[in-house]
Amino acid sequence: RMQCYPGLVLALSSLLGALALLQLSLYLRVPSRYGKHEERLCRPRGRLPARCAWFLQELPSFLVPALLLALRSPPRLEPLGCRLLCCLFCWHYFYRTFIYPFFTRGRPFPLQLLFFGMLFCIYNGFLQGYYLIYCAEYPNDWCTDIRFTSGLLLFLLGMGINIHSDLLLRQLRKPGEVTYKIPQGGLFTYVSGANYFGEIVEWFGFAIATWSLPAFAFAFFTLCCIGPRAYHHHRYYLKTFTDYPKSRKALIPFVF
Ligand code: NDX
């Protein structure tokens, strides 16, 4: 029977923080090699169509916490806060697993990164789900606490920006097309990494709403993972398009 081991949560969260720093040191100077940063553009071997790849990669982040939530015995009926927060996490990954991949017009994804991406999603899905379902304790009025309400608001705002920006990116291509164009509209007016900005806001919102170490570790990981990628996207655009809007920043509107 599963129960809460605070030491396990601490260890897994610390490892996630360490992975974030590793990620930062690896990908600050050279971008992770998928999408527009893959060097050998026409090598079909060792890659999977974007649809399958994103579906397989993100599935564990939905499945693992959803199963933990469903299989917990006896079912944890209280407090409402824990279940609600776990559902938020699953909601994001429901979108990322069952909706996002089926509309993507992205190029085939490298198998090697897919493998690490999947491992990461199992790890993080377990950590967030396990913590919220077996360890977290919130007062009964957590749903009216300023941390919960402001975090939830940020989460929803970030998710909205992320989904809208991914939609704008998708509309840059006709089906079957693989070229890159200058993203326009929405938050792309201000930053090159509008979808990443949304995702980062979303996970910091989640961290504030859960007020938990695992969620802060994941928000930090997200920042270290896609923050540098936004910077590399920005440099790619400046190098590729001479008419790229000069006032546009990399990740944070008006700042960086
Ligand atoms: N998946 C998160 N690390 C990652 C995959 C890679 O969800 O070994 C992290 C995630 C994984 C990573 C994952 C974890 C760490 C890994 C890493 C690889 C190495 C690394 C495993 C799990 C690793 C250590 C060392 C720790 C072990 O052709 P295309 O594909 O470029 O087309 C793109 C298109 N597009 C354009 N189309 C026309 N014109 C343009 N100018 C275009 N620009 C882009 O739009 C795509 O089809 C689409 C989006 O592209 P892009 O590059 O903007 O976003 P992408 O990076 O593909 O992310 C897609 C979404 C996005 O909303 C983002 O916020 C979210 O997923 N995401 C992505 C990565 C991680 C993450 C969220 C998170 O950490 N929360």
Side-chain angles (χ1 to χ4, degrees), residues 61-62 89-101:
S61 280
F62 170 75
F89 186 84
C90 291
W91 182 30
H92 170 93
Y93 281 104
F94 180 85
Y95 160 75
R96 184 67 78 222
T97 307
F98 296 104
I99 300 174
Y100 176 80

Side-chain angles (χ1 to χ4, degrees), residues 2 58-71 86 89-90 118 121-130 133:
M2 236 199 279
E58 307 291 318
L59 183 63
S61 280
F62 170 75
L63 222 51
V64 174
L67 282 176
L68 284 174
L69 191 63
L71 298 180
C86 193
F89 186 84
C90 291
M118 254 181 108
C121 288
I122 295 172
Y123 184 94
N124 189 49
F126 175 78
L127 173 60
Q128 306 301 330
Y130 175 74
I133 294 159

Side-chain angles (χ1 to χ4, degrees), residues 10-191:
L10 182 63
L12 293 180
S13 305
S14 311
L15 185 59
L16 188 54
L19 277 180
L21 292 175
L22 173 69
Q23 181 87 5
L24 197 62
S25 67
L26 284 178
Y27 298 119
L28 209 51
R29 289 185 55 207
V30 284
S32 46
R33 299 278 179 216
Y34 70 91
K36 56 173 76 70
H37 304 296
E38 202 179 356
E39 270 163 351
R40 284 154 291 186
L41 294 185
C42 25
R43 194 184 56 146
R45 274 179 56 229
R47 294 200 281 163
L48 214 61
R51 262 173 213 190
C52 310
W54 279 91
F55 174 77
L56 288 175
Q57 176 176 263
E58 307 291 318
L59 183 63
S61 280
F62 170 75
L63 222 51
V64 174
L67 282 176
L68 284 174
L69 191 63
L71 298 180
R72 152 122 204 182
S73 69
R76 191 175 179 185
L77 296 175
E78 76 331 323
L80 177 66
C82 299
R83 279 179 298 149
L84 208 67
L85 289 164
C86 193
C87 288
L88 278 188
F89 186 84
C90 291
W91 182 30
H92 170 93
Y93 281 104
F94 180 85
Y95 160 75
R96 184 67 78 222
T97 307
F98 296 104
I99 300 174
Y100 176 80
F102 294 97
F103 292 103
T104 180
R105 290 175 184 166
R107 300 202 337 243
F109 195 88
L111 269 174
Q112 203 185 353
L113 296 189
L114 167 67
F115 175 73
F116 285 119
M118 254 181 108
L119 280 186
F120 175 80
C121 288
I122 295 172
Y123 184 94
N124 189 49
F126 175 78
L127 173 60
Q128 306 301 330
Y130 175 74
Y131 173 79
L132 284 173
I133 294 159
Y134 288 93
C135 299
E137 281 181 26
Y138 296 104
N140 284 333
D141 59 353
W142 184 247
C143 293
T144 54
D145 190 289
I146 180 78
R147 285 165 289 183
F148 180 86
T149 47
S150 61
L152 179 64
L153 219 67
L154 274 182
F155 177 88
L156 295 175
L157 180 74
M159 192 172 189
I161 294 174
N162 178 255
I163 293 178
H164 180 235
S165 309
D166 276 339
L167 180 85
L168 291 175
L169 283 177
R170 187 160 64 237
Q171 287 171 345
L172 292 172
R173 288 177 178 166
K174 296 187 188 71
E177 223 178 11
V178 285
T179 50
Y180 291 104
K181 294 167 194 157
I182 301 181
Q184 306 283 4
L187 235 73
F188 284 112
T189 314
Y190 307 102
V191 287

